[in-house]
Amino acid sequence: KNNGILITAKTLKDDNPKLDCRILGLEKFSPIKIILDKNLSTPINSNIFLKSRRSKIIIFHNIKNKRKINLLRKNKVLTIFTEIDSDGKFDLKMIFNKLYKLNISRLLIEGGKKLTEDLLNNSLIDEFYLFRSNKKILSNGRFNVSKLLKKINIKCKNKKNITTNLSGNILTRYNF
């Protein structure tokens, strides 16, 4: 069985992550990179495509752009056309079943508010880790963390704070 890491195209564009293991000698344990990208807007010059960081990449999409699909396939990316519902969302249960059939049994998800809410609403989370910084970030009104935390706490069966040495950050583990 394989491990995967799932993000959205928005996270890819906003953060340009590498999504790999950079510990010397453990690079071969990098997870399979999975991107939810309805419009195939994934920039081909993103860090995940760097040759030195090459590992398997899967993109779930909902647009038939032959040129972009061919370009991604030339870069050894598996593209999977996937229907969306009337709200414009992927069926996450179907995607997770497809990933399981592709031999991916453990999945780390780096999701924002919308993806996290969809996962919670569909009961698709086993564990949830929340890192909280002691730094205060001014809210611009777009993302109300307290509402999401309330939802997590309601669905959570067990919650445990874990001590870390990460600059005073607090790590909380939620089990569902």
Side-chain angles (χ1 to χ4, degrees), residues 28-40:
K28 66 182 179 184
F29 295 105
S30 289
I32 296 170
K33 301 163 187 168
I34 303 146
I35 304 161
L36 302 180
D37 184 4
K38 286 184 270 191
N39 299 315
L40 279 180

Side-chain angles (χ1 to χ4, degrees), residues 40 44 65-77 79:
L40 279 180
I44 202 73
N65 179 337
K66 287 184 182 184
R67 195 178 118 259
K68 182 76 176 255
I69 291 169
N70 287 335
L71 180 61
L72 290 166
R73 288 183 178 163
K74 282 181 185 173
N75 281 283
K76 298 184 175 33
V77 175
T79 60

Side-chain angles (χ1 to χ4, degrees), residues 1-31:
K1 298 285 183 184
N2 295 304
N3 295 322
I5 185 163
L6 183 139
I7 62 171
T8 63
K10 182 179 181 338
T11 297
L12 182 70
K13 286 183 250 171
D14 289 351
D15 300 343
N16 196 18
K18 294 176 182 169
L19 303 178
D20 61 359
C21 181
R22 292 180 292 282
I23 299 171
L24 194 59
L26 299 177
E27 300 88 351
K28 66 182 179 184
F29 295 105
S30 289

Side-chain angles (χ1 to χ4, degrees), residues 39-53:
N39 299 315
L40 279 180
S41 60
T42 298
I44 202 73
N45 62 346
S46 300
N47 283 332
I48 63 165
F49 294 109
L50 295 176
K51 292 196 185 308
S52 63
R53 308 227 183 272

